[in-house]
Amino acid sequence: MIPFPSSLLYSAAEGAVAANMIVYPLTYDEEDSDGANTLTRYGPGSAISPDGFQGDGYTTRLTRSSLPSWATSSSGPVSLSVHCRLWRRTAATSDLIAGLVEDDVSADAKISVVALTDGDEPCFGSITNTGSVRTRYLGNAFWKYALPWPTAFLYSGANKVRPQSHLFLDATTLLVSGHYNDTESRVYKIDLTDNSVIGTFTFGTSTYRHVAAWAVRANGDVWCTDFETDMLLKIDLDASFSSGNAVIDGTWDTSGLDTGLSALDFITVSGIEYALINAYNNSARYTYVFDADDLGVGVALPADRYKRFYLGNRNQGFCVRASDGLLYMSRSGTVRSISVFDIASAISSTADGSTLPTLRSFAVPSALCEDIKFHPSTDEAWVSTEGRSSVADNDGYSAYWRSPLISHEPVERHIRIDYDGSGGWEFWLDGILFDTDTATPTAVPAQLAVGGYPQATAGWANGFSMATIRSVAFKDGVFSEAELTALEAGTYEANSLTEYNVTISNPGAESGTASWTNESGVIGTRSADPAPHFERGVTNTSYFFGGTSAATVARQRFSIAAATGLSPSEIDTLIASGDIWANLRWWQSNYNGTADPGGCGIRYLDGVPAALSTTYSAIDDLGQALYWMKRSLSVAPDSGSRNIDLLQRMDRTAGTNNDTYIDDLELTIYTR
């Protein structure tokens, strides 16, 4: 992780308030770090794993009603810290991740971290009740907060910055550029070891007032695009930072190609370096491919191109990723995605004028995303944003966000909220100050809750979070640096679970339906609508569905002893003490989100083998079409259990196909 200065990591008020603290690590058991208070479980079994509490979004939660007086005060200071992966956008107004809330159906919160929906993506948020519900968005599940725009330079007069692009000069030095409501473009050089500004220059206020993208040629030449004039500009960075004004060594007029020049990058294919150029527009525009040596010579004309391709609309920026050679395009507005293309193959062998297929798509940090670049050491994607839902609507979203972009799995976010007891709030994302607020809470907490609201009954829309949650901590003051470090490292829990990862044959349908035994109906496989769940480096060609059967159940069976190496007597001892359970995880989707419910289950059997119990997850259509979400189910074995069945279940309620989709199943047995 790139370090940040203490002024960004820790509040100035740190140490001002005495230190009563509650910590629930949730990686070994349901007890607090002192072993004094056990949370009350609601759900089918222990949902604890080494990664944290596995909230299923439907019925699992943990609560505690016996709280110290400082935690039940509506007026006193309190801080909340939680580490979490959020697997699903909410089906309710909000899903509770962790908070101090009232113990009634309204569950008004003094302080809470919740799951919200931002566009189509799961998003973190904060809710506090101040006589009305006060909601704040804290970034989506797939991106960590990387860098706020330098606070001292948020405004130029009355004009607020719109972060546009960035360029890594090396692993610890970042160039960032933004325009001030189209009145001026400024560039800042950031030292990422402490986030300090170590250089700046301006393009002035008369022209080149909307610099949109930066890229570097193989020979080291630095070019940028200007949206206002459709000019490519060759910049001498050293001279520019030295003088404080942009030093332009060359220009190339691209107005003959299109208007609204937005994206630029370079790629070498078969020994020839090409420039990739694209304009932003609500309708599809060509991405042009030119010989890079043409830049600065005459003007750019369509007839002089090497090739051009359709890649879609609303292109804010793109970048060729060095680690895989693919082109990643950042797209805003209603499209709001990062689309991935094999541009090198297209340059080599695809006909000029073709529409290139999208290999896959990823979520963006917000609908107001801008350019994309990859860190030279970590290979993380960094994307700039100029707001959340409208331009310049939130100072915290004038920023840069980072994500590995190697799968469709969310990243673990660290959300921290500090309330000072006098109306002052600070919101910290992934160790960085994101935003502040002034509000006085009115809720009188009576419950500490994790994973769902205290009085909610089972249901997708009832406020249960589908999330992996760990290191939940509350304090009647601000967390110290040492406490935050310990929460991050998980050292408040001295014990660790033993985990046995059960080898499932053909867990993702890459071998058809081999190794799965049909108990009813006939399970089948698909490969499109939606595309299979994606994970880089893993074969992802197919997934399971219910075929054309009205009711499909398929299973794989495992010996508990063979999977764990435990003897029958050891298994019996662990069952008797409640210290063994199985956790099943899988990705699930549905064709239209309104029919053909499904899910997975765990069956325990004795040595005959005869069934002892069968427990299914909620059998549901998920309410969301063509959207992969990771589900989980934890179940403890019955007395006498010797075998375990992993079950897939799909129930057709409409049409011909049985359209529950399941992919990439995982089964782990935990003991302690």
Side-chain angles (χ1 to χ4, degrees), residues 458-510:
W460 288 120
N462 293 347
F464 293 90
S465 58
M466 186 179 286
T468 303
I469 305 165
R470 70 174 182 90
S471 293
V472 176
F474 297 88
K475 186 180 178 182
D476 64 347
V478 178
F479 297 102
S480 70
E481 180 176 354
E483 289 164 347
L484 290 170
T485 299
L487 289 167
E488 172 75 28
T491 53
Y492 281 101
E493 179 56 72
N495 301 302
S496 59
L497 294 173
T498 300
E499 54 184 320
Y500 303 95
N501 293 310
V502 180
T503 300
I504 301 172
S505 298
N506 188 28
E510 267 61 59

Side-chain angles (χ1 to χ4, degrees), residues 368-432:
L368 281 302
C369 61
E370 292 293 327
D371 205 3
I372 179 171
K373 294 290 186 288
F374 289 90
H375 191 280
S377 298
T378 67
D379 195 38
E380 286 184 311
W382 284 51
V383 167
S384 48
T385 56
E386 60 178 9
R388 185 188 72 82
S389 60
S390 61
V391 174
D393 63 350
N394 185 301
D395 288 355
Y397 276 87
S398 294
Y400 295 81
W401 307 75
R402 59 189 176 91
S403 176
L405 288 195
I406 56 174
S407 76
H408 287 144
E409 292 202 4
V411 295
E412 184 179 79
R413 302 285 311 281
H414 176 205
I415 311 296
R416 173 182 142 211
I417 305 170
D418 298 332
Y419 176 61
D420 65 5
S422 301
W425 296 80
E426 292 182 342
F427 302 89
W428 298 75
L429 307 185
D430 309 304
I432 306 171

